[in-house]
Amino acid sequence: KTSCCTAARFLQQYIHNCYSTVTVQLMSSFFGMTGPLAVSLIQYHKLASKAKPQVSLKLLQTILSDEQRPLIRQALQEVQRIDLGKQRQRASAVLIPLCTVHGVPSVLFTLKASTLSTHAGEVSFPGGHRDNTDEHVEHTALRETWEEIGFPGIKVEVLGLWHDCMTRFKNGYCTPVVGYCGEIDLSELRLSPAEVSEVFTVPLEQLYDRKNWFLKDSSRGFSMPAFNGSKHLIWGLTAYFLSGLLNHLGETIPLVQSRL
């Protein structure tokens, strides 16, 4: 029975790896990518599509404390980022808002307004296109967060950048900025009704629960990770950024801790 279970897991992993490679080939073809950039995307897609690592509850309960946040910063510094700034010109950025709610480490999400021409009613992170007045992508993410949900950038501790990813716009790409927002009271946020209809948070413990993740087929012919463990389905680039980041932190932070 044990050998059968082992063989089944091996076959499942083999099929998953093949499926991931085909998926990335479709994505590479769609976005017109070749060479090292396509290889980097394959590596990222496999990272984002992996099952969530087993993370200790003790670590999750303290990961956003003053003593532990430097581990996130260091884990992000060790990433060899996919940087699309030289290949693509239409820049945008989002903030991945790490926070606590009644002391529980969580991530904040927005639900886009139903009246928007694109991504209406979808879950997202605060963010948008980079303005000419923005000094850097961090500025873009913090400015958009203030405009969308009324949370001031001065209260955000920027911990680092995550991998860039192409967007559906021609020459477009998006940079995720990982930031710590401290204790959040959703009732105190001022939403821009033209852009955001709702904000909500999901505890990190729930986000690391493997049973809440699955691969969702897209209309473009490839699959992306998606999360169904909250009040709204989280999918698309939001889930893609989040899944890869969670997997990287879950795998890397214990190694960072062991070196200290």
Side-chain angles (χ1 to χ4, degrees):
K1 181 178 180 180
T2 302
S3 60
C4 289
C5 292
T6 302
R9 285 195 297 269
F10 176 82
L11 179 60
Q12 184 182 35
Q13 186 61 46
Y14 175 77
I15 293 173
H16 173 73
N17 289 342
C18 293
Y19 185 66
S20 295
T21 300
V22 171
T23 295
V24 174
Q25 288 172 347
L26 287 168
M27 294 176 70
S28 300
S29 174
F30 175 72
F31 288 112
M33 294 185 311
T34 58
L37 195 56
V39 172
S40 296
L41 179 59
I42 290 173
Q43 294 172 341
Y44 180 76
H45 185 80
K46 288 183 176 180
L47 172 67
S49 301
K50 287 170 60 176
K52 293 295 159 284
Q54 296 288 349
V55 181
S56 72
L57 182 59
K58 181 179 179 181
L59 175 60
L60 289 180
Q61 289 173 339
T62 61
I63 190 60
L64 298 182
S65 65
D66 292 343
E67 294 76 23
Q68 299 291 340
R69 283 200 307 280
L71 299 179
I72 299 178
R73 187 185 301 276
Q74 186 168 344
L76 291 173
Q77 288 174 347
E78 295 183 359
V79 173
Q80 294 184 349
R81 292 185 61 249
I82 299 174
D83 185 348
L84 300 179
K86 293 182 179 180
Q87 288 85 7
R88 293 181 165 237
Q89 291 75 48
R90 191 170 182 178
S92 59
V94 296
L95 179 69
I96 301 182
L98 306 178
C99 62
T100 59
V101 180
H102 303 300
V104 177
S106 306
V107 179
L108 181 144
F109 301 89
T110 66
L111 188 68
K112 288 187 174 294
S114 59
T115 53
L116 292 174
S117 58
T118 59
H119 303 296
E122 294 181 8
V123 173
S124 183
F125 292 124
H129 293 295
R130 183 173 180 177
D131 287 349
N132 293 331
T133 56
D134 293 337
E135 298 178 4
H136 40 65
V137 290
E138 293 93 334
H139 188 179
T140 302
L142 298 181
R143 174 183 55 76
E144 288 283 347
T145 298
W146 168 250
E147 293 175 0
E148 289 185 10
I149 65 174
F151 192 85
I154 195 172
K155 291 187 176 181
V156 180
E157 177 188 349
V158 174
L159 299 174
L161 304 180
W162 188 233
H163 294 291
D164 291 351
C165 190
M166 290 73 59
T167 65
R168 66 177 62 184
F169 299 105
K170 183 177 181 181
N171 284 324
Y173 72 98
C174 183
T175 302
V177 178
V178 183
Y180 175 62
C181 301
E183 178 71 16
I184 289 282
D185 183 346
L186 298 182
S187 66
E188 295 181 354
L189 299 178
R190 295 185 300 101
L191 309 188
S192 169
E195 299 180 273
V196 176
S197 62
E198 183 183 342
V199 290
F200 64 99
T201 59
V202 182
L204 280 177
E205 183 179 356
Q206 202 167 327
L207 290 169
Y208 269 106
D209 190 337
R210 294 183 179 188
K211 72 175 184 291
N212 292 328
W213 289 90
F214 67 101
L215 289 176
K216 184 179 187 300
D217 292 334
S218 75
S219 59
R220 306 294 184 179
F222 48 80
S223 66
M224 305 274 275
F227 178 85
N228 62 0
S230 64
K231 61 191 300 186
H232 301 290
L233 177 67
I234 302 173
W235 62 289
L237 272 188
T238 303
Y240 203 49
F241 287 147
L242 179 66
S243 182
L245 176 65
L246 291 176
N247 281 346
H248 175 70
L249 294 181
E251 294 172 357
T252 306
I253 285 180
L255 297 178
V256 173
Q257 284 180 314
S258 68
R259 296 198 297 265
L260 298 179

